């Protein structure tokens, strides 16, 4: 990047001192401003990121000597069903944490825009957003209780006459992962709704008005105006929620600890167990690197979608 | 406006159902927290004799006073430090547009996509090696660093939109870069700095993984970090666990209600611009 000559600072002072000297001095001072942030970021994020990659090629218990093993850790991840399973679980959670909140959020945002533009819509947005500000650990504990045998979910099922399907949802091999997914919907729906409905409020109202004068149905309006014009916001929602899904840790750690068996184990939890309980730093790091690659692979196409719009 | 009565009804019903879905869990744990300690009540029933004392008990057994102090100290270390260094960086990148701004910004934005798990292992090992592990700074330093991507991006978005005339006038009056930052732009950036500060305070309060991994003693962790340990001890005492959970939720909920507008603006603007 070159120095922008139209920049006001450069203009005003160049009258007094030779421009090149001044620019050099100013560049130096500018970099001093960035330095603290950059050093912290490099020391606690970038360097660790590179070290994770290095560790992933070694066998290491964290204290003894490191032993270079090449790609062996990565091969292990692919060979051990329990490890590979965590990645499949993560994909299933993407459906719950990402697709459902974004899809439902779009519907809710457009409903608010059509039938609840006033105070009611405002209240709905705020209420739906509430779970977003509480600790995910707390969300895990709350839902751990709701999903238990005597908890709210089973109680409600009994009331509507579905008493026969009650169970300890988080302890059920078939249902536990989806139950964790529902916690994700609860946490992320508000974020998507608020972001998307902020997006809708920026859409030219004339578009909606003319559609309504024509008597357009909610569905026509939704597919013809809302979804296409909110592509940027949808991209943002997808990015945030996909990362949340793939990196889930807190909720699973407290609600199920990965169980029953490995039914709800996700990479985020498995990395923690491998590294800090089993002291297998290399394998944990390999799984972490794969998780990061996965995030990038899924995020990149979404980002590209974003840029085409602009 | 041609919106049919049935659509109006269906739409409002949908919103009501979803609001209930959101609120019911809070009501359920609140009611459960009021049952006698050690019992297993139903999910939604008002107790005959509400045990308000459960909150006091949970406060005591969870060592809440120590935790409040520890959490507050972590917040008071992390948030001001993160605010200062990210504002300075955002100023240099967004307003001074120093050579290399684009690269710097890309570098920081990269961090937005990085899951914590990708860096937690080396942080743990590095902190053990340099003696930071299990100290007060063990959680604080990495957190400051982890906030940089969002914080720098957010502050840069503010500075990049400042009208050039403001800086120009100050320059003509002979202001140095530091004056420009300290006297002119820092006061003008109060609103975005406040929003960012509130947001980072909540994030710090709620931080779990770093607290769990980097600090051994639960009473030296963040509130959320300690909640995990509390759950380990009281998993079978549902009312007490619910009471403890509520105690930890209340501060963030209060902050949210008070600063709703700032929180939403920062979170949404930051996300959209990201």
């Amino acid at each position: 990047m070159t120095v922008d000559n139209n920049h006001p600072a450069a203009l005003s002072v160049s009258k007094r001192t030779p421009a090149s000297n001044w620019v050099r001095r100013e560049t130096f001072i500018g970099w001093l401003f960035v330095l603290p942030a950059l050093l912290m970021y490099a020391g606690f994020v970038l360097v660790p990121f590179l070290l994770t990659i290095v560790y992933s090629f070694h066998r290491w218990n964290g204290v003894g000597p490191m032993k270079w093993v090449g790609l062996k850790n990565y091969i292990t991840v692919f060979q051990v069903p329990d490890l590979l399973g965590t990645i499949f679980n993560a994909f299933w959670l993407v459906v719950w944490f990402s697709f459902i909140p974004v899809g439902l959020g779009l519907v809710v945002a457009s409903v608010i825009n059509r039938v609840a533009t006033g105070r009611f819509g405002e209240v709905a947005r705020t209420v739906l957003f509430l779970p977003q500000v509480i600790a995910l650990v707390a969300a895990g504990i709350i839902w751990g209780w709701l999903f238990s045998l005597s908890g709210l979910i089973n109680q409600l099922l009994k009331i509507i006459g579905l008493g026969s399907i009650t169970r300890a949802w988080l302890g059920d091999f078939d249902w536990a992962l989806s139950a964790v997914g529902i916690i994700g919907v609860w946490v992320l729906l508000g974020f998507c709704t608020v972001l998307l409905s902020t997006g809708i409020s920026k859409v030219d109202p004339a578009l909606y008005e003319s559609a309504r004068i024509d008597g357009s149905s909610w569905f026509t309006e939704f597919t013809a105006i809302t979804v296409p014009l909110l592509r940027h916001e949808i991209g943002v929602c997808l990015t945030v929620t996909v990362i949340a899904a793939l990196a889930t840790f807190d909720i699973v750690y407290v609600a199920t600890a990965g169980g029953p068996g490995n039914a709800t184990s996700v990479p985020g939890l498995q990395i923690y167990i491998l590294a800090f309980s089993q002291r297998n730093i290399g394998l944990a790091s390999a799984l972490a690197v794969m998780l990061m690659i996965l995030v990038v692979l899924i995020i990149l196409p979404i980002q590209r979608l974003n840029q085409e719009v602009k | 406006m041609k919106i049919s009565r049935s659509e109006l009804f269906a739409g409002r019903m949908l919103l009501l159902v979803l609001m209930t879905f959101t609120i019911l869990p809070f009501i359920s744990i609140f009611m459960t927290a009021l049952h006698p300690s050690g019992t297993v009540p139903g999910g939604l029933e008002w107790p005959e004799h509400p045990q308000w004392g459960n909150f006091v008990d949970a406060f005591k057994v969870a060592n809440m006073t120590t935790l409040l102090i520890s959490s507050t100290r972590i917040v008071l270390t992390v948030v001001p430090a993160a605010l200062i260094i990210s504002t300075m960086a955002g100023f240099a990148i967004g307003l001074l547009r120093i050579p290399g701004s684009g690269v710097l910004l890309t570098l920081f934005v990269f961090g937005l996509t990085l899951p914590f798990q990708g860096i937690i292992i080396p942080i743990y090992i590095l902190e053990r090696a340099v003696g930071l592990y299990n100290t007060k700074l063990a959680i604080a330093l990495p957190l400051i660093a982890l906030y940089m991507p969002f914080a720098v991006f957010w502050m840069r978005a503010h500075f990049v939109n400042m009208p050039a005339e403001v800086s120009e006038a100050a320059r003509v009056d002979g202001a140095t870069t530091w004056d420009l930052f300290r006297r002119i732009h820092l006061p003008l950036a109060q609103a975005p700095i406040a929003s960012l500060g509130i947001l980072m305070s909540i994030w710090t309060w709620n931080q779990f993984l770093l607290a769990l991994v980097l600090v051994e003693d639960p009473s030296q962790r963040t509130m959320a970090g300690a909640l995990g340990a509390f759950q380990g001890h009281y998993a079978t005492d549902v009312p007490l666990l619910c009471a403890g959970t509520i105690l930890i939720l209340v501060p963030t909920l209060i902050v949210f209600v008070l600063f709703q507008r700032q929180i939403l603006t920062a979170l949404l603007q930051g996300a959209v611009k990201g």
Side-chain angles (χ1 to χ4, degrees):
Chain A
M1 192 180 264
T2 53
V3 178
D4 181 1
N5 280 329
N6 292 324
H7 195 243
L11 275 179
S12 59
V13 182
S14 59
K15 286 169 199 158
R16 262 171 270 143
T17 46
S20 65
N21 260 347
W22 185 84
V23 167
R24 212 174 301 145
R25 200 182 117 76
E26 204 55 4
T27 303
F28 177 70
I29 294 173
W31 272 87
L32 283 184
F33 272 86
V34 183
L35 209 58
L38 193 60
L39 284 179
M40 284 298 287
Y41 182 59
F44 285 97
V45 177
L46 295 180
V47 169
F49 167 72
L50 296 175
L51 282 173
T52 302
I53 298 174
V54 173
Y55 295 164
S56 73
F57 295 113
H58 290 82
R59 191 170 69 215
W60 192 31
N61 63 6
V63 279
M66 287 165 91
K67 188 176 178 296
W68 174 268
V69 293
L71 288 172
K72 197 162 164 281
N73 288 321
Y74 291 92
I75 296 168
T76 308
V77 173
F78 280 106
Q79 282 173 339
V80 178
D82 283 350
L83 294 179
L84 199 60
T86 62
I87 292 178
F88 290 120
N89 287 348
F91 275 117
W92 183 230
L93 286 187
V94 168
V95 174
W96 287 97
F97 279 58
S98 188
F99 295 169
I100 294 180
V102 175
L104 195 56
L106 266 174
V107 173
V108 175
S110 102
V111 166
I112 289 177
N113 186 47
R114 254 177 96 92
V115 303
T117 39
R119 185 110 187 97
F120 182 57
E122 199 63 35
V123 172
R125 281 166 35 132
T126 309
V127 167
L128 292 183
F129 195 83
L130 275 183
Q132 183 70 34
V133 295
I134 69 167
L136 288 170
V137 191
I141 291 179
I142 294 171
W143 281 89
W145 164 234
L146 297 180
F147 276 130
S148 69
L149 259 186
S150 54
L152 178 67
I153 304 295
N154 285 330
Q155 205 179 0
L156 292 177
L157 286 174
K158 277 177 200 153
I159 292 173
I160 58 170
L162 289 172
S164 56
I165 64 162
T166 57
R167 66 195 73 204
W169 295 92
L170 291 169
D172 188 287
F173 273 93
D174 295 329
W175 291 96
L177 191 60
S178 299
V180 169
I182 289 176
I183 311 179
V185 176
W186 184 72
V187 171
L188 290 162
L189 176 63
F191 173 78
C192 294
T193 301
V194 176
L195 184 77
L196 293 166
S197 94
T198 312
I200 291 190
S201 66
K202 287 183 199 138
V203 173
D204 183 0
L207 278 174
Y208 285 113
E209 267 159 38
S210 61
R212 282 175 204 180
I213 290 166
D214 294 344
S216 294
S217 70
W218 172 85
F219 188 73
T220 320
E221 198 178 292
F222 184 71
T223 49
I225 305 176
T226 307
V227 174
L229 288 182
L230 288 187
R231 273 175 67 183
H232 177 59
E233 279 81 3
I234 294 172
V236 173
C237 275
L238 283 175
T239 308
V240 171
T241 52
V242 162
I243 295 175
L246 293 178
T248 330
F249 174 78
D250 308 21
I251 291 176
V252 175
Y253 180 90
V254 293
T256 66
N262 273 307
T264 59
S265 190
V266 285
L269 181 72
Q270 196 64 54
I271 291 164
Y272 172 80
I273 294 172
L274 284 174
F276 302 110
S277 309
Q278 301 179 3
R279 301 270 149 197
N280 194 340
I281 305 290
L283 191 56
S285 302
L287 191 56
V289 171
M290 287 177 60
L291 176 66
M292 293 190 280
I293 293 173
L294 212 60
V295 170
V296 172
L297 282 182
I298 302 183
I299 297 305
L300 273 185
I302 301 174
Q303 292 301 323
R304 185 148 300 166
L305 201 91
N306 259 336
Q307 281 161 356
E308 279 171 16
V309 179
K310 285 179 181 172
Chain B
M1 211 70 100
K2 286 185 184 174
I3 290 176
S4 68
R5 196 168 280 259
S6 64
E7 191 198 319
L8 211 63
F9 178 75
R12 294 202 170 152
M13 276 310 284
L14 175 75
L15 294 183
L16 278 177
V17 168
L18 288 175
M19 280 160 81
T20 314
F21 167 69
T22 307
I23 288 291
L24 222 47
F26 289 108
I27 297 174
S28 176
I29 59 159
F30 180 67
M31 286 187 174
T32 309
L34 292 176
H35 281 81
S37 165
T39 59
V40 181
L44 209 59
E45 55 190 47
W46 187 253
E48 253 175 76
H49 306 285
Q51 308 284 312
W52 296 101
N54 280 351
F55 290 104
V56 181
D57 291 345
F59 195 92
K60 282 183 193 147
V61 294
N63 223 344
M64 211 64 91
T65 319
T66 322
L67 269 179
L68 278 171
I69 297 171
S70 152
S71 276
T72 310
R73 280 170 88 156
I74 295 174
V75 170
L76 288 180
T77 312
V78 169
V79 177
L83 283 178
I84 293 169
I85 68 173
S86 64
T87 307
M88 288 174 62
F91 174 75
I93 295 176
L95 196 118
L96 300 179
R97 297 181 204 187
I98 53 170
S101 296
V103 179
L104 278 171
L105 195 62
T106 314
L107 197 65
F108 279 114
V109 169
F110 160 76
L112 282 174
T113 60
L114 201 65
F116 278 22
Q117 289 91 349
I119 50 175
I120 187 79
I121 300 170
I123 290 180
Y124 168 82
I125 288 167
L126 286 173
E127 290 201 341
R128 290 219 104 153
V130 299
L132 264 175
Y133 175 75
N134 216 11
T135 65
K136 292 202 170 60
L137 289 175
I139 305 172
L141 291 178
L143 262 190
I144 296 171
L146 280 160
Y147 291 157
M148 283 308 109
F150 185 88
V152 170
F153 207 78
W154 168 242
M155 291 315 304
R156 173 215 164 250
H158 163 77
F159 285 117
V160 99
N161 287 323
M162 289 308 284
E165 290 78 16
V166 178
S167 318
E168 226 166 317
R171 287 291 193 189
V172 170
D173 289 345
T176 63
T177 308
W178 177 250
D179 292 333
L180 193 66
F181 174 69
R182 178 75 190 72
R183 291 169 197 275
I184 315 287
H185 284 287
L186 208 55
L188 289 173
Q190 266 177 23
I193 291 177
S195 302
L196 184 62
I198 296 162
L199 210 56
M200 291 197 296
S201 304
I202 293 181
W203 287 343
T204 308
W205 194 266
N206 289 345
Q207 176 54 45
F208 181 63
L209 178 61
L210 288 187
L212 184 71
V213 171
L214 300 175
V215 172
E216 222 161 7
D217 177 5
S219 68
Q220 298 299 318
R221 290 179 182 163
T222 59
M223 273 291 187
L227 188 57
F230 184 68
Q231 189 224 17
H233 289 296
Y234 294 93
T236 48
D237 193 337
V238 180
L240 210 57
L241 183 61
C242 288
T245 308
I246 290 173
L247 289 179
I248 282 162
L249 294 185
V250 165
T252 46
L253 288 181
I254 291 176
V255 170
F256 176 64
V257 171
L258 288 180
F259 300 106
Q260 223 197 99
R261 186 150 301 158
Q262 285 91 331
I263 291 173
L264 291 181
T265 323
L267 200 57
L268 300 180
Q269 296 273 346
V272 175
K273 282 170 186 159

